[in-house]
Every structure is written in C-alpha cells, then in structure tokens.
Amino acid sequence: MKRHDFLAVAATAALFLCAAMPWTAHAAPQPGDHNGPAQTAAAADAPPAALTPVIPLPARVEPRTGQFVLDADTRLVARGTEATQVAHDLATRLQRSRGFAPRIEARARSNAVTLVLDAKAALADEAYALDIDTRGARITARTPAGLFYGAITLWQLASADGAQGPTTIAAQRIEDAPRFAWRGLMLDVARHFRSVDEVKALIDQMAVHKLNTLHWHLTDDQGWRIEIRRYPRLTQVGGCRIPAGAAGRNDDGTPRPYCGFYTQAQIRDVVAYAAQRHVTVVPEIDLPGHAQAAIAAYPQLGTTGQAPSVSPDWGIHTWLFNTDEATFAFLEDVLGEVIELFPSRYVHLGGDEAVKDQWQQSASVQARRAQLGLKDDMQLQGWFMGRLGRYLQAHGRRLLGWDEILEGGPPAEATVMSWRGTQGAIEAARTGHDVVLAPAPALYFDHVQSDGDDETPGRLPVMDLQSVYAFEPMPAELTAEQATHVLGAQANLWTEHLRTGERVQRAAFPRAAALAEVLWTPAARRDWNDFLPRLVPMLARYRDAGFAAADSAFAARIAVAPAGDGSARVTLANQSGFGTLRYTLDGSAPTPRAPAYTQPLALPVAGQTLRAAAFAGERALAAPRQIVLDAHGLRARASASLRPCKGGLTLRMEDDAPREGVRAVVTADVFDPCRVYEGADLDGVRTLAVRVGQLPFNFQLWRDLKQVVTRPATVPGGALEVRLDGCEGPVAATLPLAPARGSDALTVLEAPLPAHPGRHDLCLVFASGAYDPLWMIDEVALLP
C-alpha cells in the first residue's frame, strides 16, 4: 500500500482545511452543530496550551463542555487488523505513561476510545478527527497513518500531567491534517555511526511528533555504512577509518580503527520498524563526490588509479567517481540492492560539493565529456546524475538530490533538496521541480543551540529553539502554482561533531519538536508563547523515555562580575525567558521551593556554590547549572565566552583525548584560533593562567586552505602571546607551548602579568609557525 504519495497528501490536506467552515483557534459551534453540546464560556477562553497540550498543535480545536475520565476500566474499541494495531500501540503507550493498558475489544460501549478506520471518510491521507466527550473518545481516519496520528494526539492529552493512574481530558473536537507532506529529519551515520537501537530511538521520537520521513545518509568520504553483497569491500574497507589524532591510536601507538555498518537484515529491520510508526526511510548514496570511502575500497572507481584512505577529515574532499561504463555498472548494482531494501518512492543520490579537480585532470573523463558534447564539467555532472536518475525511474523510483544538481541541468523528474539557503528551492519550484527545504544554517541541527560554556560540540552561529520555530518553509517569492511543488522540509543532523548517540539526541530534540509544529500546524495557528508551555510535558516524556533531549533553551545562565569590597554581582537568565529561575547557595540542587530569582544578587566572594534551574510549576525545565563564587570563578572565562578575533569557521570542537570518557569541548576558529577576552578587569591581577590543548588539523578546506592564518614562532616550540588592547597591541605576556606539545591532555600554562590597572581587552594569539596542530584555548583565568 502506498503510504506517502506526497503530492496527493499535500493537495488533499489543503482541500481538507480550505473546505472547512471559517473558524478561529477556539470557534464556538454554530447553531445546529450536532457534534456535541455548546462549550462553556470558561472553555472558550481556555488557551490552547491548557486545553490541548499537544505538539504539533492541531489544525482546528473546538472546546466542548465536560471531561472524559480515562482509567483502567476504559476500553479501546477497534475492528480490523490495522485499527487493532493502532489500538495496541496506544495501549502500550498508556501502560508506560499511566501505569495501565486498556483492554482492546471489538464491540462499541461507553467509557471507551473508539478507533474507526473508514476508507470513505472525507479526510486526507494523514488527517484525522478526534471527538472527546464525557462518555469517551472517538478517532476517525481514512488511513492507518491518520488513525495513528489521532491516537498519538489522544495519548499526549492523556499523559500531559506526567502522573500515573486515571486522568481527565477536556472535552473537545479536533480536526487535524498536516500543512506539509514531507516532515523529516536527516541522520548522517557516515561520519559517526549509530547503532540500530539508536536509530530506532530517533524514529520513536519522530513518530510522537508526527514527523514522517527519515533521510538516512549512509555513505560519505568518512565511511560506507550499508552492506552491498555484490561488493563486500565497501564495508570491509570503506566501513572503517583511523581517526585523526590521539583517538586513532592505541597506547602502544598502533592504529585504532573506527568501524561500523548495517547488514541488509538490520536495514530491513529498521525500515519495517519505521513503517510501523508511519515513518518512511529515504536512503542516500552520495555521488559523484563524497566518494572517498568507496574509492578506498575499489580504486578503479576513481580517476587516479590510486587507493586513498577512508578519510578521518571533515570538509570538502576531491575524490570523485569516474565516468567509465564499469563505474556505472557498479553504481547500478549498488542501487539495485538499495531499491530492494528501501520501499521509499525516493532515493537520494547526493550531488553536493563535487569539486571537479580530479575530473579536470583526468584524460578519460575529459574525453567522455567531449564525446558527449558537453561544455563543462558541471554539465557532465548533470549527465552523470541524469543517467542514474533514469535507472531509478525505470525501477519505479525517483531521484532526489541536493540543490547543486540544478547547476548541471537536473533530470526532469528529479526532486531538489535545497540546503544552500532557500534559493535552490525557489529556482527548482519555478522550473517545475518538487522541492524539500533543508537550508543551512536554519535547519542544520549540527549547529549549537546556545553560546553557553556547557554547550556540546557543533557549528556556529547558534541556531536556537526559537529560531527553528520561526522558520517559514514556504518561500514568499513563489506563486500559488509554484508553491504546489514545495513538499515540505527537514532538519539535517550532520555528525562530524556529534560523536555519541546522546549528542545526536540533544541536537535533534526539542528543536525537531519546533520544526514538527512548523510543518504540521497552519501558519496562523503557530504561537511561540503557546508552544513553550506545551513543550513542558514533552520534556518530561523525553526523560521518561531515556531520550537525552537538550535543555539549552531553559538552562540557567549565570553571569558574575566583581562588585568591589570582596563581593560579586550575579545575574540569572535563560535563553527562552520561560519558567521561574530558582537558586541555592549551599551547593544543593534547586527545587520548586527554592528562592525565586527576581533581581541581581550581591554575594560575597567566599567560595560558596550557587546553583540555579528553571521551573514551570513543580516541573524542572533543565538540569541545574552552577558557579563557584571564588577568585577563580569571578574572573575565569571558558572558550565559548571569548570572542573570535576574526570570525572564520568557528566550531565547538571536542578534544581528541581521552579515547574513552569525557573530553573537553572548546570553541575555536579553524582559520585562526586567536581569541579575545573582552573587558578584562586587571585590578589586582598578577598571574595569567591559560588552559590549552591541541587538535589534529583534520579539515579538508579545498581552496579555502589559503585563508588559514599562521604566525611565526617567536620562541622554540611556539608560544601563546597575550596582547593588550587589541591584537596588534603590545605583548603583555608570553606563554611557551613546549610544556603542552607532548601531551594529549589539556595543559595549564601560567605567566606573570605586569600591572595594568582598569579594564582591557586581552588578545590571545598562537605564534607556533604552523596550523597543524590546531591550538585551542579551553579557559583563561586572571588570578591575584
């Protein structure tokens, strides 16, 4: 059965909404309304977050009088295999969240949730209607997907209070359908491999948020992660790399491989698991670039005849598949096995960042271009993609590619995924191509979520929760006809800097919850201030599921500054401005009864520990953050709090040691690790302590390599120079790097600082004579 005909879903969903009678967020029933009794004035005034604490917010909600008590005596009424499967899923969710699983029956009764699958219902594929009154609830849908989403909505209503046992749900009628048909996440497992269980955990959360497409990035320069039986070396060789730096060697100096791939049985398992949750898995086999792992396995696929290593580096690589007939035979063999594993209508073939240096230097590739009568190598790539697109089309599939495929003339049936902003989507839609928006940086979830010192690794600038919620998928430049080509959008989880499953989960949610509402809920219904209270129960569900969602939007940010007379001025805030900040001064974790922060605190610098956290009523919104109020804490700044000198490619990067356990995370500019400590209060400061480390320069920057700044070493082994009042100012201190060169761990360097009363900017520059290793600053402390 075809579950996701995207164009049909989009058109039908639009018809479903447009055909409805005019309504507001809480419209009163019209005279003669037969769907239930008129609501009370109090119900009509209830905000969506109180009446319908659901994410994504449904398209239409009509409040009704009364409430439904869902308890252990409630029954789930379902007939037919598909409706019964949804009932079993709902019962399992209620068992976990409420502590009881309603029995499933086939006969109608009161005090029941009735699940009706009606193929003739006037609803879109993923739409549903949910009626709740004092006697029970009724979910109606035309397809299993719609029935599943209706059950998810009811479960969210039933679990909003986070308690066990019976619960009450406000009476209401919900008519719901998605705004967009493609609601997705992309997971990159080539850079860092994720286990089957970790992929399933992500799918579980996608289903809860009515996200329906997992784009699985399975191949790249750093790894080939899908078993292809006809070519076993793709995983035997291409599935392993030697990480750069200390992480890639054992204690005795021997290489320590990083490996991982999915067997075809595991692939089928994941695809089936996703299908049960109405998530389509779209595979990506990246070509003609991002092919280094494949060419490492089979060098004849490249243009040089040489076998590169599977890359330990991040960035833009130059290894491309050649254009020989044997290579197309190989790629068609690969796609043939991919098609057998993935029933998705779409197969993603990449097409991005395929720099043409090797093609330009290859006599055989240039001869092929001339034979085809193509004017340049971009047209050659268009021909390359078109040939494989025709193979997919002949097998009932459709090519999906990144927006670079527009440059060489995309195949007529190609769907374009726009990542370089939204311009690619606009151009594609105007020329009749379907499009999916996945623009950087707005929907690149490898970007950090805050500028906090405790933020996990990722790219900058910050892409916070509110910025995702504010994203508008429909480009305003498109006409109504062109807009029909916009299938939807997805967020991309690139994993260069997301080494662990926990970090992938933190990067994904709750930002994906915000995106889910953007893609499901009508634009006029979206309200950031209403979304935040509805997110509170969702945060609890993440914790209950053992899912490590980020709390960056709610985490307490503690700012401290000297106030004179041995005291400090402490201010508290959080990114979203939501919740009540509470604090303690004895090192204990704040509770809902701890003092509420209302104004800046004047506290003695006496070694006490301040801890703070945000609460919504009795519920904690984030883990506590803390600071020790002593001389070090007062004037120490972590790397995230230091300003980049120029601002090139700034990343939150993880140290490469230790191999296991917690590693330091620092903020640095790959092009120039110079940092500025702004407004340093140097009164009474006599010592400068800087914690530094070194990373392997594992960045493929292609033509941007010339932008990397190096400074000649002024002392043997190089030094960290501290300049006063600007990066061209006088050198106030020199800290030799020699003590840190032989260490994989971080090293504290100290130097005396001559008296410079008042406030000054301190510019910290590495004069090491080379850019590899990449020197980094973890913390700068000004000591008395």
Side-chain angles (χ1 to χ4, degrees):
M1 178 167 45
K2 188 164 64 174
R3 295 191 301 106
H4 293 306
D5 186 335
F6 288 99
L7 289 177
V9 169
T12 311
L15 180 63
F16 170 86
L17 294 174
C18 293
M21 295 182 65
W23 50 273
T24 59
H26 297 292
Q30 301 300 309
D33 189 325
H34 60 277
N35 291 322
Q39 82 260 29
T40 64
D45 293 337
L51 179 71
T52 315
V54 171
I55 293 175
L57 186 67
R60 178 180 182 181
V61 178
E62 293 181 1
R64 301 292 172 83
T65 300
Q67 56 191 17
F68 166 45
V69 179
L70 193 157
D71 56 24
D73 292 328
T74 301
R75 297 292 182 260
L76 303 183
V77 177
R79 295 178 181 175
T81 301
E82 292 172 319
T84 302
Q85 286 175 346
V86 175
H88 277 294
D89 181 88
L90 178 57
T92 300
R93 294 180 189 277
L94 289 171
Q95 176 67 61
R96 292 172 181 168
S97 59
R98 305 301 319 182
F100 60 84
R103 287 173 52 187
I104 300 172
E105 299 179 353
R107 300 179 64 180
R109 53 167 288 173
S110 60
N111 189 22
V113 175
T114 304
L115 298 97
V116 179
L117 194 56
D118 181 0
K120 297 181 180 180
L123 298 169
D125 282 353
E126 296 180 296
Y128 66 91
L130 171 58
D131 285 288
I132 303 170
D133 59 24
T134 58
R135 296 168 298 174
R138 181 182 180 88
I139 307 170
T140 305
R142 188 174 65 81
T143 66
L147 196 66
F148 177 79
Y149 292 142
I152 287 291
T153 294
L154 182 65
W155 171 71
Q156 287 195 28
L157 292 170
S159 59
D161 63 3
Q164 292 274 295
T167 186
T168 58
I169 305 172
Q172 55 193 292
R173 175 174 170 82
I174 295 173
E175 296 177 0
D176 205 7
R179 182 184 177 199
F180 290 99
W182 187 296
R183 307 179 303 280
L185 285 179
M186 186 281 292
L187 176 63
D188 164 23
V189 294
R191 276 53 175 256
H192 280 108
F193 182 73
R194 298 273 59 87
S195 71
V196 166
D197 286 344
E198 289 172 323
V199 177
K200 288 181 176 179
L202 191 65
I203 291 169
D204 285 338
Q205 292 304 322
M206 291 177 65
V208 167
H209 295 79
K210 303 183 177 76
L211 296 168
N212 66 357
T213 306
L214 175 65
H215 168 187
W216 209 359
H217 186 83
L218 292 163
T219 72
D220 215 298
D221 300 297
Q222 296 83 9
W224 185 284
R225 306 299 182 197
I226 175 174
E227 177 190 19
I228 301 298
R229 290 174 177 166
R230 190 161 183 171
Y231 300 101
R233 286 177 58 83
L234 285 173
T235 49
Q236 293 169 356
V237 175
C240 291
R241 67 170 181 266
I242 307 300
R249 62 177 186 269
N250 294 307
D251 292 337
D252 61 1
T254 55
R256 191 169 189 264
Y258 177 94
C259 304
F261 71 92
Y262 305 101
T263 66
Q264 292 200 0
Q266 289 174 319
I267 295 272
R268 293 184 193 277
D269 178 40
V270 169
V271 170
Y273 187 89
Q276 290 171 355
R277 289 150 183 81
H278 302 279
V279 174
T280 296
V281 183
V282 175
E284 181 180 358
I285 306 298
D286 210 345
L287 50 87
H290 290 291
Q292 188 165 331
I295 297 171
Y298 295 98
Q300 66 270 28
L301 300 173
T303 63
T304 68
Q306 299 175 338
S309 62
V310 179
S311 180
D313 299 341
W314 318 132
I316 298 177
H317 296 61
T318 57
W319 292 88
L320 269 65
F321 288 113
N322 64 41
T323 57
D324 297 346
E325 287 301 313
T327 296
F328 281 104
F330 163 85
L331 291 173
E332 290 178 1
D333 288 341
V334 168
L335 293 178
E337 293 194 32
V338 168
I339 289 170
E340 290 179 358
L341 294 171
F342 295 91
S344 164
R345 178 186 182 190
Y346 295 92
V347 176
H348 203 304
L349 296 186
D352 63 310
E353 298 179 329
V355 299
K356 306 303 188 294
D357 296 19
Q358 289 190 353
W359 276 7
Q360 292 167 0
Q361 297 161 9
S362 168
S364 64
V365 171
Q366 292 306 307
R368 171 59 70 97
R369 181 176 69 80
Q371 176 191 11
L372 295 168
L374 302 174
K375 69 176 183 179
D376 57 29
D377 291 319
M378 203 64 233
Q379 282 195 353
L380 182 61
Q381 178 173 330
W383 168 82
F384 189 107
M385 302 299 288
R387 177 163 172 171
L388 294 172
R390 289 190 294 275
Y391 174 86
L392 291 176
Q393 189 173 10
H395 289 78
R397 305 304 174 89
R398 191 166 182 175
L399 183 154
L400 177 63
W402 300 109
D403 57 55
E404 282 96 330
I405 68 173
L406 291 168
E407 297 172 14
E413 297 300 317
T415 297
V416 175
M417 186 167 280
S418 182
W419 75 273
R420 296 178 299 177
T422 59
Q423 191 57 43
I426 295 167
E427 178 184 343
R430 284 174 173 170
T431 54
H433 291 276
D434 291 343
V435 298
V436 176
L437 285 94
L443 296 184
Y444 266 46
F445 282 6
D446 55 329
H447 277 251
V448 297
Q449 301 179 66
S450 81
D451 58 3
D453 295 338
D454 58 354
E455 187 64 43
T456 50
R459 296 172 62 94
L460 276 87
V462 170
M463 290 291 116
D464 61 17
L465 183 66
Q466 187 170 8
S467 73
V468 175
Y469 195 82
F471 176 74
E472 173 47 49
M474 185 61 71
E477 296 89 338
L478 298 180
T479 66
E481 171 63 25
Q482 294 163 352
T484 63
H485 289 291
V486 178
L487 302 182
Q490 70 179 34
N492 291 339
L493 283 161
W494 301 108
T495 60
E496 289 96 331
H497 307 291
L498 301 176
R499 179 174 58 93
T500 68
E502 177 184 3
R503 286 178 177 167
V504 169
Q505 291 177 1
R506 284 181 55 86
F509 288 90
R511 287 187 294 189
L515 181 61
E517 186 145 308
V518 167
L519 296 174
W520 183 281
T521 306
R525 292 268 284 159
R526 295 207 320 259
D527 183 338
W528 167 250
N529 292 320
D530 179 70
F531 172 76
L532 289 172
R534 284 185 285 111
L535 187 58
V536 174
M538 194 64 81
L539 297 174
R541 294 187 190 104
Y542 299 144
R543 290 191 291 269
D544 291 344
F547 193 87
D551 62 0
S552 306
F554 310 102
R557 295 302 174 206
I558 307 170
V560 58
D565 300 324
S567 66
R569 185 176 188 269
V570 180
T571 56
L572 304 180
N574 71 3
Q575 187 185 78
S576 64
F578 180 75
T580 300
L581 287 163
R582 299 185 180 275
Y583 66 93
T584 62
L585 298 173
D586 60 2
S588 63
T591 70
R593 280 152 291 287
Y597 173 80
T598 57
Q599 61 184 7
L601 307 172
L603 300 172
V605 182
Q608 63 185 334
T609 299
L610 182 147
R611 302 186 75 188
F615 292 84
E618 294 292 309
R619 288 180 166 180
L621 300 175
R625 268 50 170 190
Q626 71 178 46
I627 190 170
V628 177
L629 294 170
D630 59 13
H632 182 277
L634 191 62
R635 301 192 192 192
R637 290 193 185 177
S639 61
S641 300
L642 304 174
R643 176 176 60 81
C645 299
K646 296 181 179 178
L649 176 58
T650 304
L651 303 172
R652 287 280 288 168
M653 290 178 286
E654 183 181 59
D655 197 2
D656 60 331
R659 289 186 297 273
E660 305 293 342
V662 178
R663 300 178 183 175
V665 178
V666 300
T667 302
D669 181 356
V670 170
F671 288 108
D672 185 357
C674 169
R675 310 291 286 179
V676 177
Y677 186 135
E678 293 183 298
D681 183 358
L682 301 184
D683 287 338
V685 173
R686 294 295 178 267
T687 302
L688 180 71
V690 185
R691 190 160 58 233
V692 303
Q694 53 182 317
L695 288 173
F697 194 89
N698 62 322
F699 300 96
Q700 294 282 341
L701 300 178
W702 193 38
R703 293 174 182 170
D704 288 335
L705 185 61
K706 60 181 179 294
Q707 298 181 32
V708 175
V709 175
T710 58
R711 298 177 178 84
T714 54
V715 300
L720 175 63
E721 297 179 350
V722 182
R723 296 179 175 271
L724 202 65
D725 298 323
C727 295
E728 304 302 324
V731 176
T734 299
L735 295 84
L737 295 172
R741 279 195 174 273
S743 174
D744 290 333
L746 300 179
T747 304
V748 176
L749 307 176
E750 291 191 2
L753 193 65
H756 295 285
R759 293 188 176 273
H760 300 268
D761 286 352
L762 300 179
C763 180
L764 298 96
V765 299
F766 288 101
S768 63
Y771 58 78
D772 191 4
L774 174 65
W775 287 98
M776 58 186 184
I777 297 169
D778 181 51
E779 182 189 72
V780 179
L782 309 175
L783 305 177

